[in-house]
Amino acid sequence: MRRSADIDELRRVLCAALGSPEPVCSLARLEPDPGAFAAADPAVRERRTLVGGGALYNPTSPAPGPAVLDELARRAKTLDAPQILVPHVRRGDDTGALRAAGFVPLTAGTECVLRLTADVDELLRDRVGAKQLRDLRRRHNAASREVGWERFRLSELDHRQWARDAFVELHRHHAERSGGHGFNPYSADALDALAHGALAERTEMFVRRRKNTVVQAGLVMASHNGRGIHFLTQAVDQDDPAARHNLYLASLYRLYQDARRSGLDWVHLGRGDAHRKRRLGADLFVPLDHWLRAPGLTSSQTAEAEQELSKFAAPPVTAVPVPGPARFRHRPRFDLVDLSSNTNPFLGTAGHYPELDTAELARTYLDTVAKLPGHGGPGTLSPDHLLFTSGAVDGVMLLLAALTSPDERVCVTPPTFELYSHFARLLRLPVVEVPLHGDSLSNLDVERILEAEPRATILCDPNNPVGTRLDRAQVHALVARSRGLVVIDEAYVEFSEQPSYAELIEQHDNLIVLRTLSKAWGLASARCGIVLAHPGIVEALRRVQVPFGFTNASQHAVRARLTDSRRVLAGIRRIRAERERMAAALADHPAVDRVFPSDANFLLVRLHKHEHVMGRLRDAGILVADTGRLVPGTCRISVGDRRANNILLEALSSTL
């Protein structure tokens, strides 16, 4: 809601619920979030407290400035209230004035929002999975057959006395069951105050009833920017047979559908457990704090500061902030009237810039990847360790720009992905080549790399174009002994049975792991790369990264694929099986001299007559990567489906 006039109106409703001309009562009576003040001293919980600068109802409160806080202090003194509570402030807001005025933050849960970026069923299938979607639809359909559904503006409540009485009675029972300390925020007086106030036209009551018996009643409120709705409250007659369908879930699904049909962008689900709301489709989670000023109460928290930069940040990067609106990525704008972006408001949601707060998507990625066999390392990391980029190669360019300075050397280990040295030379960085050695080109010359004293060493593991994994002990030694950065590009790691190096990031601040969703995850068109590193390195990269490069369409595609990881795993298993079949068939083929071992989704093949075979494949309409300039006489063959692979084998036979 984020508008002071609306918050003031909800505070008037709170006064009606308290039966007081001013919002003053003890915290013990109020207890807006069970357990929120449990750790406070009993004297703190029992003192008279002025609730100001915010509202206790679901919309969150903007952080008040110095003038508002001065007025609160004056009113508290007049009302003989030694304590002041400013409830439900978003943690990303500027809370400097609250700290300066002696307020202390107390964790108050999480604000949860479902963003309507697609058809509701499609969206829920992506976010919660097909099974949970079927359950929501089943409950909705069963409830709709058994009890009716009505919605009307609260300004019309005087003409629906039956609805008013049922709402009040259901919420009275709900407050008694939930141990509300005698306080019911939706009492008859509170409902009447809301129905006859400035928010009545924007607030709707929804009811489900069987003939003349109301079994559920709740409230939703339109946001002042007209783009979404706040789910304020609901109460159910738990003794009615329809309650077995979980009317809360059934009604949420109905509200999602109604909001989508009305062209709205989001549904605010209120505060609650993020895991539970995630199961309802929520995809935006904002931590909240209560701010309390009380005698003798001191904060155990320090003022939030910008993320400390890594010591590897280049000098120019240390002197600049994160560019533009990306600085405020933890301050969501969904419920604001946003007139800051200079876009066309008449051409739909495509005129909105992409979401910048990708913390929830990062958490989803880390949790999903941690479940892959042998890849539990990312599960130890937090969203602060992750940065989404426009493909993994964009991550290479960002880290070279943010973490190196002119004349600092970059080491590469040919044969390897050629864009590493390409980007380094574009940035006028000297490139040192320390070739891989060994029969399978999997051994590092650690001593030569260390002697070069590179600012950054970029490794490709599994290697492209070879497909082999690097010697793990040598990689560990390089990371541990290097004074510079070690960057490991794991674009193909999902195809390998050896673990990722992400598990080492917490131990080594010089290690950066690059990932992509273009390969195993099949999202090449979404252009989504991932940097995993210490938060200080991620912060340095943000200062170089172009804002809004990770589009909403790409975010939607990534979220959908991550929630369908079983399909991805099945695809990886099929690729591995075809890789082994093709490796055996090619090894026995007369046109092939050698097939290199592979932990990727391709095979490096040395041909007997390289130029002749490559020409015949081109004539047959088959494109493979010519890697002869990197590893003489070779080509790199991607593992395709069985039909494509068989066509290749037939074409090779025709070259004999």
Side-chain angles (χ1 to χ4, degrees), residues 451-577:
E451 287 172 7
E453 297 187 340
R455 175 65 167 187
T457 301
I458 307 179
L459 308 177
C460 190
D461 189 42
N463 181 279
N464 177 15
V466 183
T468 51
R469 294 299 300 264
L470 298 174
D471 182 283
R472 196 164 185 84
Q474 292 174 341
V475 173
H476 277 261
L478 179 63
V479 173
R481 296 173 59 192
S482 179
R483 294 167 58 188
L485 295 158
V486 177
V487 182
I488 305 178
D489 184 350
E490 293 188 340
Y492 302 95
V493 73
E494 291 89 350
F495 300 107
S496 173
E497 295 184 358
Q498 295 184 41
S500 162
Y501 288 100
E503 62 187 6
L504 301 179
I505 287 173
E506 288 274 53
Q507 306 166 36
H508 300 284
D509 63 357
N510 66 330
L511 176 61
I512 301 173
V513 172
L514 302 180
R515 294 284 188 82
T516 181
L517 273 72
S518 296
K519 308 302 182 183
W521 297 88
L523 286 177
S525 64
R527 304 310 303 135
C528 179
I530 289 160
V531 177
L532 299 174
H534 263 242
I537 286 179
V538 171
E539 173 68 13
L541 301 189
R542 287 193 197 280
R543 300 188 183 198
V544 176
Q545 188 176 41
V546 175
F548 303 121
F550 191 22
T551 68
N552 282 341
S554 292
Q555 292 180 40
H556 175 71
V558 169
R559 186 177 294 108
R561 190 56 52 86
L562 291 174
T563 56
D564 193 18
S565 58
R566 276 187 280 185
R567 181 181 166 207
V568 174
L569 287 173
I572 292 173
R573 287 193 293 269
R574 293 177 66 184
I575 287 174
R576 285 178 176 174

Side-chain angles (χ1 to χ4, degrees), residues 138-169:
R138 178 182 60 80
R139 293 179 186 279
H140 165 68
N141 293 335
S144 298
R145 288 192 297 268
E146 196 163 335
V147 290
W149 170 269
E150 299 174 58
R151 270 178 78 171
F152 54 86
R153 288 183 180 175
L154 205 59
S155 57
E156 303 168 6
L157 188 63
D158 288 346
H159 305 295
R160 290 178 169 84
Q161 188 67 28
W162 58 269
R164 176 189 179 278
D165 294 344
F167 178 97
V168 170
E169 187 66 11

Side-chain angles (χ1 to χ4, degrees), residues 83-101:
Q83 297 182 164
I84 304 173
L85 173 70
V86 178
H88 302 133
V89 176
R90 290 175 182 167
R91 197 165 294 169
D93 283 0
D94 183 359
T95 55
L98 283 163
R99 292 186 185 277

Side-chain angles (χ1 to χ4, degrees), residues 11-20 57 187-194:
R11 195 158 52 245
R12 188 180 67 83
V13 175
L14 175 63
C15 289
L18 293 170
S20 167
Y57 297 90
S187 65
D189 290 338
L191 180 62
D192 289 342
L194 189 58

